Amino acid sequence: MSADQLRDSAAAAERWNPTTAWNNQLRQLSKQRQYREALTLYRNMVRSSFFPNAFTFPFLLKSCAFLSLPLTASQIHAHVIRTGSQPDPYTRSSLINAYAKCFLPHNARKVFDEMPNPTICYNALISGYSFNSNLTDAVKLFCQMRREEEDGLDASVNVNVNSVTLLSLVSGCSAATHLTIGACLHGCCVRFGFATDLAVTNSLVTMYFKCGEVELARQVFDEMLVRDLITWNAMISGYAQNGHARNVLEVYNEMKLSGVSVDPVTLLGVLSACANLGAQGIGRQVEHEMERCGFGCNPFLRNALVSMYSRCGNLTRAREVFDCSREKSVVSWTAIIGGHGIHGHGEVALELFDKMVESGVRPDKTVFVSVLSACSHAGLTDRGLEYFELMKMKYGLQPGPEHYSCVVDLLGRAGRLEEAVDLIRSMKVKPDGAVWGALLGACKIHKNVEVAELAFQHVVELEPTNIGYYVLLSNIYTDANNLEGILRVRVLMRERKLRKDPGYSYVEYKGKVHLFYSGDLSHPQSKEINRMLDELENLVKEIHPPNEKCEERSEELLIGTGVHSEKLAIAFALLNTKRGKEIIVMKNLRVCVDCHLFIKLVSKIVNRQFIVRDATRFHHFRDGICSCKDYW
DNA sequence: CTAGGGTTAG
């Protein structure tokens, strides 16, 4: 609705019964989520000096809550006070909610403390504390509410814990540290008889996912007798956010079978899973589904699509989707910049960044993570450092550990290890595992045992159970022929009962994702795959005879080598795919150099292009040539 | 007062 139309209809309303008519207008706008328009209407109302009643304020305050406008909220609060009469419970709960959603829980509390509170005011404040991730106060208030409910000290108000109370509390548990409280609340839900309330159970599913308890979430889901769209979406997003991409696809299929129709949130989760799996084929189907359902312009989905295509290795399509997106937010730019960065196109990534700034979008911390990592993937060390300065000086953004780890990576890959160490020492925030880990990774590339030991010391203190770092150090010792060091790391690993998870890779074929562990014999085509692999190994040996001792040494001492999962995946893909058609995408290949070599040679032999993706970056092997500046 | 949501290194 335009401002003129608003004025016209408001004028028409005034001729009727001013306040009721105004309120009806407000109700309409609020229903249609036209919150800005509702507030515009309010300004017109004030100008024509109307008399608000109890129905007026809640609509306005809801708009403030939604748009997070603390000033407008307090202006309306002042107006409420000016009316002279005691505000009714609805107005008070709206005030509490508005303040809480504007990140002013203190003001919300003040309103709450002014007089005795009925259920909705308790609920509003509890939900407000939850929203501001202040679980302690939310739970305290819940306890107070239960006492009030039991004792009923104040007969003027009625207090009852209801499903909304528990809903607000449960959805406040959003991190692993909240698990204990979350599980307690789950118990409360059962005891209070809300365990069959759909909204409550849905929020329990989400709560367990957010706490990282994938199995418990699944259990709640399995026990549900009724499921709706939200239930399925909670499962899909939950699995996606916890990195269980294959379960996402499973649940997605189940959902379609159950006859519930999808919405943008569903597809968002599925796209993110496709991105993680490298399942471009499924991703493409999702894109069609998107168009078919009329979600083609949904900016959230378009961003997810850009990210999916780039992470599946199809930068061309990612670029097309990006270019055709009308609404380009900082998130859209982050996705496309990251996409170019991940593929080694650092220069393009930087150009895109400049274009973004030109287009008037203000960069945030996240986009700088993409920019910095793009620079390090492309070897643009000095430009990366320039952008790091730009971030601090021009945009006044405080770098977090995630930025420092990129810059350490940047310096480290370029061999500037001392500078990297100095940078870490100069940090104002405490370096996290990733920062020292980046340094350790750089030491592997540049074979620097001394700095590696320093980095390892710190990283192990911060992430004592992250097996990757032990493996990295052990392999650094291997390169340096330092047997004593290798043994030391192995003893450490044994003492801490750490075992390396088997590596795995996957290939998408005919809409299904085929997963291979190293040494895996469970695939139905296992026999053929291994035959194919033998053949490939022999061909590879012919054109690249093993380099005597060197190869043997590494086979024996590197941790986690053997029949690599990616070799199985390659053999599978070659067995099943038509010549020249597909690009093969694999993931999670923390591949050591000899395996890269293997892939490169196979690529030459079969004359096919592979895009191999590992956990940290993409490597392109086109006609046997690695375009990503050779392993870095 | 009221359940599910896009981007992000190592």
Side-chain angles (χ1 to χ4, degrees):
Chain A
M1 212 184 264
S2 75
D4 284 343
Q5 281 172 307
L6 273 177
R7 255 191 304 279
D8 289 348
S9 50
E14 207 176 355
R15 264 173 261 131
W16 170 232
N17 171 342
T19 302
T20 314
W22 289 114
N23 287 348
N24 284 337
Q25 291 273 320
L26 283 176
R27 180 181 292 121
Q28 276 304 315
L29 291 172
S30 183
K31 219 185 219 169
Q32 293 160 8
R33 297 185 166 227
Q34 308 209 1
Y35 297 114
R36 279 182 201 288
E37 289 78 1
L39 292 172
T40 311
L41 182 60
Y42 171 60
R43 277 176 210 117
N44 289 331
M45 289 155 73
V46 172
R47 232 171 277 139
S48 60
S49 55
F50 79 118
F51 297 99
N53 64 19
F55 295 105
T56 312
F57 296 115
F59 295 127
L60 299 170
L61 290 164
K62 195 176 172 189
S63 303
C64 297
F66 195 87
L67 301 167
S68 193
L69 302 170
L71 277 172
T72 317
S74 49
Q75 278 163 16
I76 295 169
H77 189 183
H79 198 163
V80 171
I81 295 169
R82 271 207 309 279
T83 63
S85 53
Q86 284 226 333
D88 64 292
Y90 288 102
T91 302
R92 292 186 60 238
S93 75
S94 304
L95 270 170
I96 293 169
N97 182 49
Y99 277 129
K101 295 282 157 71
C102 295
F103 308 101
L104 295 169
H106 196 71
N107 296 31
R109 180 83 208 199
K110 264 201 225 149
V111 176
F112 182 87
D113 284 337
E114 275 162 12
M115 56 184 82
N117 291 289
T119 308
I120 50 166
C121 292
Y122 269 103
N123 285 352
L125 191 56
I126 287 175
S127 130
Y129 281 137
S130 264
F131 181 83
N132 286 284
S133 39
N134 180 353
L135 260 188
T136 320
D137 283 331
V139 170
K140 264 190 208 158
L141 197 62
F142 176 56
C143 296
Q144 186 187 326
M145 184 179 180
R146 288 186 56 190
R147 275 197 304 274
E148 178 74 34
E149 184 182 25
E150 305 267 299
D151 308 343
L153 287 178
D154 198 323
S156 66
V157 289
N158 201 1
V159 178
N160 285 307
V161 169
N162 61 18
S163 63
V164 178
T165 319
L166 282 158
L167 204 54
S168 309
L169 283 163
V170 171
S171 51
C173 304
S174 51
T177 47
H178 301 153
L179 179 62
T180 323
I181 296 176
C184 257
L185 290 168
H186 186 178
C188 289
C189 292
V190 175
R191 271 201 310 281
F192 283 74
F194 298 122
T196 51
D197 184 298
L198 195 51
V200 171
T201 25
N202 285 342
S203 75
L204 285 170
V205 171
T206 306
M207 180 273 287
Y208 280 123
F209 272 125
K210 293 245 161 95
C211 296
E213 289 292 327
V214 174
E215 266 103 63
L216 288 174
R218 177 84 210 194
Q219 211 174 309
V220 176
F221 173 79
D222 284 339
E223 286 166 8
M224 289 171 75
L225 300 174
V226 186
R227 293 166 185 161
D228 66 354
L229 174 65
I230 308 282
T231 320
W232 291 103
N233 286 350
M235 285 306 285
I236 287 173
S237 325
Y239 273 134
Q241 284 158 8
N242 283 278
H244 294 222
R246 292 195 324 143
N247 297 22
V248 171
L249 301 184
E250 226 173 75
V251 174
Y252 177 51
N253 287 328
E254 243 185 282
M255 173 184 181
K256 283 196 287 196
L257 288 176
S258 84
V260 175
S261 44
V262 304
D263 81 342
V265 181
T266 321
L267 300 184
L268 215 43
V270 179
L271 279 179
S272 135
C274 292
N276 284 325
L277 287 168
Q280 191 187 158
I282 304 174
R284 222 177 274 137
Q285 284 173 29
V286 174
E287 189 182 1
H288 292 145
E289 182 88 356
M290 243 171 90
E291 298 296 342
R292 208 175 54 74
C293 301
F295 309 147
C297 294
N298 182 308
F300 283 62
L301 280 173
R302 296 197 70 86
N303 295 339
L305 213 50
V306 170
S307 157
M308 186 276 292
Y309 278 122
S310 18
R311 291 171 62 186
C312 287
N314 190 344
L315 200 50
T316 318
R317 182 75 193 121
R319 192 59 196 257
E320 277 168 19
V321 176
F322 174 79
D323 287 338
C324 297
S325 298
R326 284 210 276 116
E327 262 178 72
K328 293 192 182 75
S329 67
V330 69
V331 177
S332 323
W333 289 97
T334 306
I336 197 67
I337 290 171
H340 283 87
I342 222 167
H343 288 281
H345 306 302
E347 307 271 3
V348 186
L350 292 180
E351 274 168 36
L352 281 165
F353 178 85
D354 294 339
K355 266 194 199 159
M356 174 188 83
V357 175
E358 246 171 68
S359 80
V361 172
R362 203 183 157 75
D364 65 357
K365 283 191 178 191
T366 312
V367 76
F368 274 105
V369 175
S370 291
V371 169
L372 294 171
S373 82
C375 290
S376 83
H377 286 182
L380 302 172
T381 314
D382 290 319
R383 305 231 30 214
L385 294 172
E386 277 169 33
Y387 278 84
F388 186 53
E389 283 307 308
L390 197 71
M391 163 182 168
K392 291 185 287 187
M393 305 318 284
K394 185 166 175 195
Y395 297 104
L397 295 166
Q398 275 297 317
E402 68 274 33
H403 300 101
Y404 281 103
S405 64
C406 289
V407 180
V408 168
D409 191 55
L410 197 67
L411 290 166
R413 282 170 197 250
R416 294 157 69 168
L417 293 176
E418 296 83 21
E419 278 173 78
V421 175
D422 289 344
L423 180 75
I424 299 177
R425 299 235 186 268
S426 77
M427 282 172 63
K428 288 196 194 91
V429 285
K430 188 181 180 332
D432 63 0
V435 175
W436 291 108
L439 185 65
L440 190 61
C443 293
K444 169 80 173 81
I445 300 167
H446 297 286
K447 305 190 192 306
N448 187 326
V449 176
E450 200 185 317
V451 179
E453 286 175 340
L454 171 83
F456 182 76
Q457 211 184 322
H458 283 97
V459 85
V460 143
E461 203 176 294
L462 294 161
E463 292 180 33
T465 58
N466 190 329
I467 185 86
Y469 298 129
Y470 296 83
V471 175
L472 204 47
L473 182 65
S474 171
N475 291 344
I476 292 170
Y477 283 135
T478 306
D479 283 343
N481 253 326
N482 183 338
L483 259 170
E484 193 201 326
I486 299 171
L487 289 174
R488 232 184 3 248
V489 178
R490 294 215 170 165
V491 168
L492 212 54
M493 287 169 72
R494 197 163 309 146
E495 276 172 5
R496 300 183 181 181
K497 298 194 169 47
L498 296 172
R499 278 183 39 217
K500 190 188 174 301
D501 284 336
Y504 58 88
S505 301
Y506 26 81
V507 176
E508 184 199 353
Y509 170 60
K510 284 199 176 167
K512 273 183 98 170
V513 176
H514 293 253
L515 181 75
F516 297 90
Y517 285 98
S518 27
D520 191 353
L521 295 172
S522 65
H523 193 276
Q525 281 177 297
S526 198
K527 246 189 194 157
E528 290 111 295
I529 290 170
N530 278 298
R531 203 177 310 130
M532 169 67 111
L533 194 55
D534 280 344
E535 210 176 295
L536 286 175
E537 302 253 27
N538 286 332
L539 285 168
V540 164
K541 267 179 207 152
E542 262 172 47
I543 62 168
H544 194 273
N547 199 344
E548 311 93 45
K549 294 159 208 152
C550 167
E551 292 267 326
E552 280 168 40
R553 182 179 57 99
S554 68
E555 273 302 314
E556 191 191 328
L557 292 179
L558 285 172
I559 296 175
T561 58
V563 182
H564 292 294
S565 56
E566 49 273 27
K567 290 188 181 178
L568 294 172
I570 287 172
F572 168 83
L574 288 174
L575 265 178
N576 291 291
T577 57
K578 284 196 214 83
R579 268 202 93 69
K581 194 182 131 211
E582 311 78 356
I583 297 165
I584 298 161
V585 181
M586 279 155 280
K587 208 205 113 179
N588 224 23
L589 315 178
R590 242 171 224 284
V591 222
C592 49
V593 173
D594 38 316
C595 201
H596 279 170
L597 190 62
F598 177 83
I599 295 164
K600 213 163 165 175
L601 294 168
V602 170
S603 172
K604 202 178 272 177
I605 292 165
V606 300
N607 193 21
R608 294 279 290 273
Q609 180 195 326
F610 291 87
I611 291 180
V612 181
R613 176 191 171 183
D614 75 7
T616 51
R617 68 199 59 93
F618 281 78
H619 296 269
H620 290 235
F621 301 88
R622 197 158 294 164
D623 307 317
I625 295 158
C626 174
S627 72
C628 205
K629 300 224 168 151
D630 273 68
Y631 322 127
W632 273 99

